[in-house]
Amino acid sequence: MGTLTVNQNKLQKRLRRLAGEAVADFNMIEDGDKVMVCLSGGKDSYTMLDVLMHLQKVAPIKFEIVAVNMDQKQPGFPEHVLPAYLKELGIEYHIVEKDTYSVVKELVPEGKTTCSLCSRLRRGTLYTFADEIGATKMALGHHRDDIVETFFLNMFFNGTLKAMPPKLRADDGRNVVIRPLAYCNEKDIQAYSDFKQFPIIPCNLCGSQENLQRQVVKEMLQDWERKTPGRTESIFRSLQNVVPSQLADRNLFDFTSLKIDETAASRFVNVVNL
């Protein structure tokens, strides 16, 4: 790539710093970990791999990186792109072949979004493979904007207050998922991907669908950001500053036994009549 411009250097340092902070804040990677980096061929996962390879060099701990791509047998998928790129990087990698494309096309009616089923099938396959190769962590390329979008999607359509945590243990306890780009915004990742010229592989299964609710939420957030810069970052910070007593989840806070504290000091003060 040659010498970086001043802005490119700042961008690279910012992404590395934010990823490093997220990894440290959530103790994502520990000494001796084997990190399975899940690559989709998109800008986010390429950036994540790039950043993790840098952290591997400078971190005070030792950990392995194994790149894994899942070939879902989509028509026209350029199978040669990722192997060629990863060979050039000189890192260990695996291509997991699983025809989830046919399953999704068979089960999802024409015109309906395929993301939910596709992601479940992909996740299950990757969880199993991580277990097979002895990976202690699974790294996914979700960034700050993904997390905020997911928060609103769950609130609007599922009636739940949840998003994508930077670190998550799977329900069966066999996998720990980490999101090193949790503090990074999509705009920076796109700019970094552009100047690094990553060999992007477009998704013609779900990425091109026009009726995605996630896209609607993304546009809503972008509109808010244009009108009030910094709003997305503020929303993300709110996910780290939850006050259970100010919500209404009876399983999270004991509202039933809530009563006055008889030992609390009185608010009354002596009033002097003038």
Side-chain angles (χ1 to χ4, degrees):
M1 292 297 297
T3 304
L4 274 60
T5 67
V6 172
N7 287 337
Q8 289 171 344
N9 188 50
K10 286 182 178 179
L11 174 61
Q12 185 175 68
K13 285 184 176 180
R14 181 162 63 249
L15 287 171
R16 288 175 173 178
R17 173 178 57 80
L18 290 172
E21 289 176 2
V23 168
D25 286 351
F26 293 91
N27 193 31
M28 292 187 190
I29 301 175
E30 301 170 88
D31 193 49
D33 267 341
K34 184 173 186 176
V35 181
M36 185 175 107
V37 181
C38 300
L39 292 177
S40 65
K43 67 183 190 310
D44 305 329
S45 58
Y46 276 126
T47 299
M48 174 179 63
L49 176 61
D50 184 276
V51 169
L52 286 178
M53 289 180 66
H54 169 73
L55 290 179
Q56 187 183 41
K57 294 176 182 177
V58 301
I61 59 173
K62 300 293 184 183
F63 63 93
E64 295 179 57
I65 288 178
V66 181
V68 174
N69 168 255
M70 183 174 164
D71 181 354
Q72 298 176 265
K73 297 305 175 183
Q74 298 176 32
F77 182 77
E79 299 179 358
H80 65 285
V81 172
L82 271 168
Y85 177 75
L86 295 171
K87 283 179 182 177
E88 187 176 342
L89 290 181
I91 67 171
E92 180 184 349
Y93 74 91
H94 300 273
I95 306 297
V96 181
E97 297 187 3
K98 186 80 169 181
D99 187 5
T100 59
Y101 178 86
S102 297
V103 176
V104 170
K105 298 302 287 186
E106 179 182 347
L107 296 179
V108 179
E110 191 68 31
K112 297 293 184 179
T113 56
T114 59
C115 285
S116 179
L117 176 59
C118 179
S119 63
R120 287 201 304 273
L121 293 172
R122 185 172 61 248
R123 186 167 58 246
T125 301
L126 290 174
Y127 277 1
T128 300
F129 189 73
D131 206 14
E132 289 177 2
I133 65 173
T136 53
K137 303 287 171 59
M138 274 179 59
L140 303 181
H142 299 120
H143 46 68
R144 184 203 65 184
D145 300 70
D146 286 326
I147 293 171
V148 173
E149 289 163 15
T150 301
F151 169 72
F152 280 103
L153 283 168
N154 280 316
M155 183 166 58
F156 291 165
F157 302 104
N158 297 326
T160 57
L161 283 178
K162 67 178 184 178
M164 293 173 171
K167 185 178 181 181
L168 173 72
R169 185 171 63 188
D171 292 339
D172 63 4
R174 296 292 300 173
N175 305 98
V176 173
V177 173
I178 60 174
R179 297 181 169 97
L181 301 184
Y183 289 173
C184 303
N185 68 64
E186 186 172 19
K187 184 178 179 181
D188 280 350
I189 292 171
Q190 182 65 67
Y192 190 68
S193 175
D194 289 343
F195 98 74
K196 292 286 285 188
Q197 298 179 359
F198 294 133
I200 302 298
I201 302 174
C203 175
N204 59 8
L205 177 60
C206 61
S208 58
Q209 294 178 105
E210 297 179 354
N211 55 341
L212 294 180
Q213 291 296 342
R214 180 173 291 275
Q215 186 59 37
V216 175
V217 171
K218 181 187 290 289
E219 290 170 0
M220 177 192 76
L221 290 169
Q222 289 173 344
D223 184 52
W224 285 0
E225 193 68 26
R226 282 191 295 270
K227 294 176 180 177
T228 311
R231 178 170 288 188
T232 304
E233 178 59 31
S234 180
I235 294 170
F236 180 75
R237 286 202 308 273
S238 75
L239 298 178
Q240 299 174 284
N241 291 282
V242 179
V243 185
S245 64
Q246 304 302 304
L247 298 174
D249 190 336
R250 288 171 294 167
N251 295 315
L252 199 61
F253 189 81
D254 186 11
F255 293 101
T256 303
S257 60
L258 203 61
K259 59 184 179 180
I260 65 170
D261 183 357
E262 301 287 352
T263 65
S266 173
R267 285 200 185 95
F268 294 113
V269 294
N270 292 324
V271 178
V272 178
N273 292 321
L274 299 177

